[in-house]
Amino acid sequence: MIQKTPKIINYWEKVDLFEVEEPKKVAVSRLKRHPLNSDIYGVDEEVKDLANQIKMSGWIKPLMINLKGQILGGNRRREAVNLLISQGHLPEDQEVEVSIKKLSEDEEVQFLILDNASRHKTNLQMLREAQYLKMFHQSVTCKNRKTLTSSERSFLDYWEERKQTVKSQKKKKSVKVRDVLGSFMDVSGDQARKGLKVLWLIDLLTDLGRNQEIMEIVEALNKENITVAYKNTRSGKKRTLFNIDI
């Protein structure tokens, strides 16, 4: 008798959370870090202070997840809870409250960045945000306005507001995408342009496995500033790569 291979059921498809208006409790072990969150903010985040706050208050703010169980809002909270579990302060089957958010991939980028708007960020993290905001803006502006979702329209409206603010503050006749991106980072448009080029080089060096050079650039970027990192990439072996037309 031929045995049929059992169908692997996605946990988030099996558990119908969409119709639950109130947050539902789920074991933290079932939640996954969103890959975009790792791309933008890294994986080695310091969460000791947050873990202590949770330990002292005994309260964990509800997390926002997508249908895959990937966290859209609350990645650091998950890490903090896992830290407390590893320290024996919370049980291994600790549950947290979650709510489901159904978004497109582009909207998930927007949500992740907005959810982290108030956190302290390194220059590298802010550049990653700018990189994804630029891609999201390009994606949305290519669509027919009539087909946009409400969040996409809100994003374009917000972008236009930022654009007009930059135009007024900088007294510019025309405002470029890099100027708006710079406003998110509180730097000039030219600084944003240089920063994104440095980021491009970091990604290229990552593909080439040149980790030592990456560490040098990131250190200059985070401990100094974009200008120092940009100047460092204009010298030595990196200069040839940096001058590649992008």
Side-chain angles (χ1 to χ4, degrees):
M1 180 177 178
I2 300 176
Q3 292 185 335
K4 293 183 178 180
T5 303
K7 180 183 178 182
I8 299 175
I9 301 175
N10 184 311
Y11 175 76
W12 301 106
E13 293 175 348
K14 184 173 64 175
V15 180
D16 186 7
L17 300 178
F18 243 118
E19 297 181 0
V20 181
E21 293 183 2
E22 296 297 322
K24 181 179 179 67
K25 286 196 171 184
V26 175
V28 72
S29 59
R30 290 195 178 275
L31 304 177
K32 294 173 283 187
R33 188 181 181 91
H34 198 290
L36 284 178
N37 193 86
S38 299
D39 289 346
I40 297 172
Y41 303 108
V43 293
D44 299 320
E45 296 186 87
E46 180 56 61
V47 294
K48 288 182 180 179
D49 289 343
L50 180 56
N52 286 332
Q53 290 175 17
I54 293 173
K55 180 182 175 183
M56 293 291 290
S57 67
W59 181 71
I60 306 168
K61 182 181 177 181
L63 283 66
M64 188 72 71
I65 64 174
N66 61 17
L67 280 175
K68 297 177 182 178
Q70 296 172 333
I71 300 171
L72 296 171
N75 281 279
R76 293 182 72 249
R77 270 167 271 155
R78 169 185 173 271
E79 296 302 320
V81 170
N82 281 333
L83 177 60
L84 291 173
I85 291 173
S86 69
Q87 294 174 342
H89 298 301
L90 291 175
E92 291 187 3
D93 60 351
Q94 175 68 38
E95 294 183 331
V96 293
E97 289 188 340
V98 300
S99 295
I100 290 284
K101 191 81 172 174
K102 186 177 181 180
L103 300 171
S104 67
E105 290 184 7
D106 285 341
E107 289 172 328
E108 286 189 357
V109 174
Q110 182 188 6
F111 189 95
L112 280 164
I113 293 175
L114 291 177
D115 185 66
N116 286 279
S118 61
R119 67 178 287 176
H120 174 73
K121 301 164 197 166
T122 64
N123 286 329
L124 178 60
Q125 290 171 336
M126 287 192 289
L127 283 171
R128 285 291 180 202
E129 286 186 340
Q131 183 184 49
Y132 276 97
L133 282 172
K134 182 180 179 181
M135 289 190 290
F136 183 59
H137 178 259
Q138 290 173 335
S139 173
V140 174
T141 51
C142 287
K143 297 179 181 179
N144 187 315
R145 181 85 184 188
K146 294 180 180 179
T147 64
L148 297 179
T149 64
S150 59
S151 62
E152 287 173 335
R153 285 193 295 271
S154 296
F155 174 79
L156 283 183
D157 291 341
Y158 181 59
W159 184 279
E160 187 60 31
E161 287 179 16
R162 298 291 294 235
K163 186 176 178 180
Q164 293 304 319
T165 299
V166 172
K167 187 175 183 179
S168 175
Q169 291 178 344
K170 305 296 182 182
K171 297 181 179 179
K172 287 177 171 283
K173 291 183 178 180
S174 62
V175 177
K176 298 180 179 179
V177 169
R178 68 190 187 194
D179 296 318
V180 179
L181 293 175
S183 73
F184 284 105
M185 302 169 57
D186 198 25
V187 299
S188 68
D190 189 56
Q191 285 284 89
R193 177 188 66 82
K194 290 178 179 178
L196 288 175
K197 198 163 186 181
V198 169
L199 196 58
W200 172 85
L201 180 59
I202 289 174
D203 291 339
L204 178 58
L205 291 173
T206 300
D207 291 339
L208 296 174
R210 289 160 63 166
N211 297 328
Q212 182 59 41
E213 290 169 277
I214 295 170
M215 289 174 60
E216 292 172 2
I217 297 173
V218 172
E219 184 175 6
L221 191 60
N222 288 336
K223 291 188 176 181
E224 298 291 339
N225 52 52
I226 292 173
T227 300
V228 173
Y230 182 79
K231 287 181 178 179
N232 287 354
T233 58
R234 305 292 292 180
S235 61
K237 295 179 181 179
K238 294 184 286 295
R239 183 171 184 174
T240 302
L241 291 172
F242 198 77
N243 287 333
I244 294 175
D245 183 19
I246 59 171

